[in-house]
């Protein structure tokens, strides 16, 4: 169910939005004889999210008025999400979690290892998401939730430091232990 209204968003609605944007994925009629199904909703939302992020990137490139461009995007985002602190923070935490997962998968080598710089970046995002989660638990009075989230954040900070050290070793600025 959508957190924005009583009516959930359907796969058909998301697919229609993608069609309107001329970015709809091709649905093989043999695999989808009845169009997109409920099981396709998350994938279609991911496609829509990518389309929106690509458009935002194209419209807020480095240049003459970047700060104003980004501010306009954020104003629109805030108008849609609203001023409810819990919802606002939950949406941001969800975005951070997706970003961390995407960073982890970007730069794997043949052994499936992630480069130290990419690992440090990903863990920094995870630390941010977990710290935000700790704050949400704090706001709701859930002390155990705060402790768990802070524990995850602290583990991420340790991984950031280790990955940064590994990167320094890789460029010859530090000795491997």
């Amino acid at each position: 169910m959508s957190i924005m209204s009583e009516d959930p968003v359907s796969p058909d609605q998301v697919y229609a939005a993608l069609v309107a944007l001329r970015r709809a994925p091709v649905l093989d009629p043999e695999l989808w004889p009845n169009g997109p199904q409920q099981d396709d909703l998350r994938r279609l939302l991911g496609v829509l999210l990518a389309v929106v992020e690509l458009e935002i990137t194209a419209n807020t490139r480095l240049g003459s008025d970047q700060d104003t461009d980004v501010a306009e995007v954020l104003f629109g985002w805030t108008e849609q999400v609203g001023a409810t602190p819990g919802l606002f923070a939950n949406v941001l935490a969800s975005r951070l979690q997706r970003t961390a997962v995407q960073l982890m998968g970007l730069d794997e080598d043949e052994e499936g290892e992630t480069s130290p710089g990419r690992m440090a970046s990903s863990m920094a995002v995870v630390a941010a998401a977990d710290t935000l989660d700790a704050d949400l638990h704090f706001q709701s009075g859930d002390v155990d939730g705060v402790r768990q989230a802070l524990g995850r954040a602290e583990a991420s900070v340790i991984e950031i430091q280790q990955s940064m050290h590994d990167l320094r070793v890789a460029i010859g600025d530090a000795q491997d232990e």
Side-chain angles (χ1 to χ4, degrees):
M1 181 182 228
S2 170
I3 59 176
M4 294 177 35
S5 68
E6 295 298 316
D7 299 322
V9 175
S10 74
D12 287 330
Q13 290 171 313
V14 177
Y15 189 77
L18 290 166
V19 168
L21 294 168
R22 295 183 309 245
R23 299 288 189 90
V26 176
L27 298 180
D28 183 341
E30 289 184 26
L31 296 175
W32 289 277
N34 300 317
Q37 301 299 303
Q38 192 61 39
D39 289 347
D40 302 317
L41 180 61
R42 287 187 186 96
R43 178 175 163 255
L44 291 170
L45 287 169
V47 173
L48 183 59
L49 178 61
V51 168
V52 170
E53 287 181 340
L54 288 167
E55 287 300 319
I56 289 171
T57 300
N59 284 286
T60 57
R61 294 210 183 261
L62 295 177
S64 61
D65 208 11
Q66 180 190 12
D67 290 341
T68 301
D69 293 347
V70 171
E72 286 297 321
V73 170
L74 294 178
F75 290 146
W77 187 91
T78 302
E79 287 170 0
Q80 186 63 41
V81 173
T84 306
L87 177 60
F88 196 93
N90 274 309
V91 172
L92 290 176
S94 177
R95 182 194 312 158
L96 289 168
Q97 290 167 345
R98 288 190 312 272
T99 300
V101 169
Q102 287 178 304
L103 278 169
M104 289 296 290
L106 267 181
D107 194 33
E108 291 182 352
D109 61 18
E110 291 82 36
E111 291 88 39
E113 297 287 319
T114 301
S115 71
R118 201 65 68 147
M119 178 65 81
S121 298
S122 177
M123 290 295 101
V125 174
V126 170
D130 286 333
T131 304
L132 183 56
D133 189 39
D135 185 64
L136 288 169
H137 286 290
F138 177 75
Q139 297 299 325
S140 70
D142 178 7
V143 175
D144 287 335
V146 173
R147 286 187 181 110
Q148 290 175 1
L150 286 177
R152 291 189 310 269
E154 289 166 344
S156 295
V157 169
I158 292 167
E159 184 63 43
I160 293 165
Q161 291 176 319
Q162 180 61 52
S163 296
M164 290 171 66
H165 175 75
D166 293 346
L167 193 52
R168 287 204 175 277
V169 168
I171 63 169
D173 282 0
Q175 297 293 320
D176 199 6
E177 297 169 6

